[in-house]
Amino acid sequence: MSLDQPLDPSLRDSLAKAVKEGFAAQISLTQELVRRPSQRGEEHTVQDFIFAELRRRGYQMERFAMDPEALANHPGAGKWSSQHSEAPIVVGIHRPRNETGRSLILQGHVDVVPTGPAHMWSDPPYSATIRDGKMYGRGAGDMKSGLVCGIAALDALRALGWQPAATLYLQSVVEEESTGDGALMAHIRGYKADAALVPEPTGEAMVRANLGVIWFRVEFEGIPRHVSEMGEGANAIDAAIRTIAALRQLETAWNDRRGEHPLFAEMPKPINLNVGRIEGGEWASSVPATAAVDFRISLLPNWDVKACAAEIEAHLKAFVSGDPYLSNNPPRLVWNGFMSDGYEQREGTEAEAVLARAHQAVTGKPLPAVVLPAYIDTRIYALFDKIPALCYGAKSGLSHGIDEYVEVASLERVTLSIALFIAEWCGLEPIEA
């Protein structure tokens, strides 16, 4: 079945049957992944598990380490530190007998954010409990289930005796939640294709654009004293609080400029400054000597990330110069993660048209397009490979929150859509006996 031939109308029905017959195994595999904790730096065992699963399916396998030096020399890399993950990138490679179709990168990330207090969850955060049509657990939505959708889509084609008639790279990456450097490492390694599909949980819609992200940390030093001599000291935590308020002014100013990108102009607050982590102090009866705050802020797709970083630095310097204490004891600004531009996926690509046909065939509805005020790895392929970069996945909720979940029925629909997309985009050939 080559690209010159339209897909057999019966393929949708036979694939739907194959996806349904394999769905119990797909859900079991998803639960296996969710039950393996994989916060930043802890993804080694889940990557080993995925390596084994893909190798068992007959893919040619490669597993390679992060290369901080190569990343540091790339303009799209996040700022690396010892806190970032050194877990390997895993790639399963399918090569056809006859390369008649269009190649594809199918990518998911296995790193997850911290769970927060376990007692706040209805079930343990890594339990992968299924209740009322939803699977709960950290990473269930964002995005272990999406990675499995890609694996299961290929399994369904295989169950019918078909395989892609083009090279397909099935990539399992890390560092999506901190830097985006996992996907970038695969790019630097040399994996290239005619299109990329990332099945993040998008609510069964395609992402038209997403924001860029910058992470930074501000570190303060105070003058410690006994609390009875507070007036003779300087409180590092108080300085941090003043600085947070000052940076909120930058957040407001950036949101006032949201009309600079038409896709975000009507969004009430696309730019968010998050105070993600704060630390400081040594003793309740001592004026704190140190404090530090970790921030995350977003930027519009048509803004330059380096210019935005310079604006953050200038805003901080302007505030510090007017603060009686900090002007003589300036805080330290550290770039410690994301330094990523946003992107917009232009309309009219053939890859989007193929995905739209697949989605329509499964749901009976046109493919919606949404803008996402967050980071996704599709920016690597859109900005640096300049190929169609499609982000499309299941319905989920409470990502990064308590009781994160993914809708189970949605996983089946998305798996079928991905399988139909692969069939038309890559073309199909019979599996060699």
Side-chain angles (χ1 to χ4, degrees):
M1 189 178 299
S2 72
L3 294 174
D4 298 328
Q5 299 172 307
L7 292 178
D8 187 330
S10 67
L11 182 63
R12 184 242 177 241
D13 295 334
S14 58
L15 263 177
K17 183 173 184 289
V19 169
K20 186 173 292 292
E21 289 176 348
F23 195 58
Q26 176 181 344
I27 292 301
S28 178
L29 179 57
T30 304
Q31 289 178 304
E32 287 276 2
L33 291 189
V34 174
R35 287 168 181 159
R36 285 170 161 79
S38 55
Q39 292 182 33
R40 184 174 65 180
E42 300 174 354
E43 309 97 335
H44 295 78
T45 56
V46 75
Q47 287 291 67
D48 286 346
F49 177 76
I50 290 170
F51 185 96
E53 284 292 312
L54 297 183
R55 183 171 58 182
R56 183 172 63 82
R57 287 166 167 80
Y59 296 104
Q60 180 183 338
M61 299 304 301
E62 186 179 13
R63 175 167 40 196
F64 52 92
M66 289 287 200
D67 185 341
E69 183 177 351
L71 289 165
N73 290 326
H74 194 283
K79 301 302 181 182
W80 195 263
S81 77
S82 60
Q83 295 182 344
H84 294 294
S85 180
E86 295 183 353
I89 310 303
V90 169
V91 182
I93 305 166
H94 162 77
R95 289 194 174 92
R97 293 190 308 281
N98 298 299
E99 191 88 32
T100 59
R102 294 165 291 203
S103 57
L104 180 66
I105 291 170
L106 188 55
Q107 186 220 284
H109 70 87
V110 292
D111 53 311
V112 301
V113 302
T115 63
H119 74 269
M120 297 178 71
W121 288 72
S122 300
D123 299 283
Y126 294 116
S127 64
T129 299
I130 295 176
R131 184 175 62 256
D132 300 326
K134 299 174 180 176
M135 182 188 299
Y136 292 87
R138 178 59 82 235
D142 185 14
M143 66 162 291
K144 290 178 177 178
S145 60
L147 178 60
V148 177
C149 284
I151 296 171
L154 291 162
D155 287 350
L157 288 165
R158 193 177 190 84
L160 297 176
W162 296 107
Q163 64 183 15
T167 298
L168 186 146
Y169 302 117
L170 188 51
Q171 299 177 179
S172 177
V173 307
V174 300
E175 275 293 320
E176 193 271 352
E177 301 287 5
S178 296
T179 57
D181 285 353
L184 186 60
M185 191 67 241
H187 164 82
I188 291 171
R189 187 78 170 183
Y191 289 103
K192 302 290 187 290
D194 296 317
L197 175 61
V198 178
E200 286 272 13
T202 62
E204 298 182 35
M206 194 203 80
V207 175
R208 175 67 60 208
N210 79 279
L211 297 175
V213 176
I214 294 174
W215 273 20
F216 61 101
R217 175 181 173 91
V218 185
E219 300 173 342
F220 305 85
E221 287 189 353
I223 301 174
R225 286 288 192 277
H226 189 281
V227 69
S228 64
E229 301 171 336
M230 183 181 294
E232 299 176 23
N235 190 311
I237 294 176
D238 283 344
I241 292 170
R242 296 196 302 274
T243 302
I244 291 170
L247 287 169
R248 289 286 180 209
Q249 297 171 0
L250 178 66
E251 177 190 40
T252 298
W254 281 11
N255 275 297
D256 288 345
R257 294 168 51 195
R258 63 189 178 276
E260 294 178 15
H261 196 289
L263 292 178
F264 292 90
E266 301 303 318
M267 191 175 289
K269 190 172 177 282
I271 306 298
N272 290 297
L273 173 75
N274 188 53
V275 180
R277 189 168 178 269
I278 187 166
E279 59 190 65
E282 300 77 37
W283 190 252
S285 292
S286 298
V287 174
T290 61
V293 184
D294 287 307
F295 295 93
R296 177 265 197 202
I297 195 167
S298 44
L299 52 137
L300 293 178
N302 54 349
W303 292 357
D304 179 76
V305 67
K306 292 182 180 178
C308 289
E311 193 171 344
I312 292 169
E313 187 169 6
H315 185 88
L316 184 62
K317 284 182 177 179
F319 162 69
V320 164
S321 67
D323 184 275
Y325 173 72
L326 291 176
S327 59
N328 293 305
N329 301 273
R332 180 171 176 252
L333 175 61
V334 180
W335 309 109
N336 66 340
F338 284 114
M339 191 65 72
S340 66
D341 290 294
Y343 83 96
E344 179 180 349
Q345 175 57 49
R346 66 180 179 85
E347 296 184 43
T349 67
E350 178 60 16
E352 182 178 338
V354 172
L355 181 61
R357 287 192 287 272
H359 175 85
Q360 178 90 37
V362 173
T363 67
K365 301 175 183 177
L367 175 66
V370 296
V371 295
L372 191 67
Y375 172 87
I376 43 177
D377 273 340
T378 37
R379 64 110 185 180
I380 301 295
Y381 310 107
L383 296 177
F384 304 118
D385 286 336
K386 300 189 184 306
I387 61 173
L390 310 176
C391 185
Y392 170 84
K395 295 180 179 181
S396 71
L398 302 176
S399 292
H400 293 212
I402 303 299
D403 284 350
E404 175 184 344
Y405 68 86
V406 66
E407 295 185 14
V408 173
S410 182
L411 294 176
E412 185 173 349
R413 291 191 295 271
V414 165
T415 300
L416 179 54
S417 292
I418 292 174
L420 289 169
F421 173 81
I422 292 170
E424 184 174 349
W425 179 257
C426 299
L428 297 176
E429 65 180 16
I431 295 173
E432 193 169 28

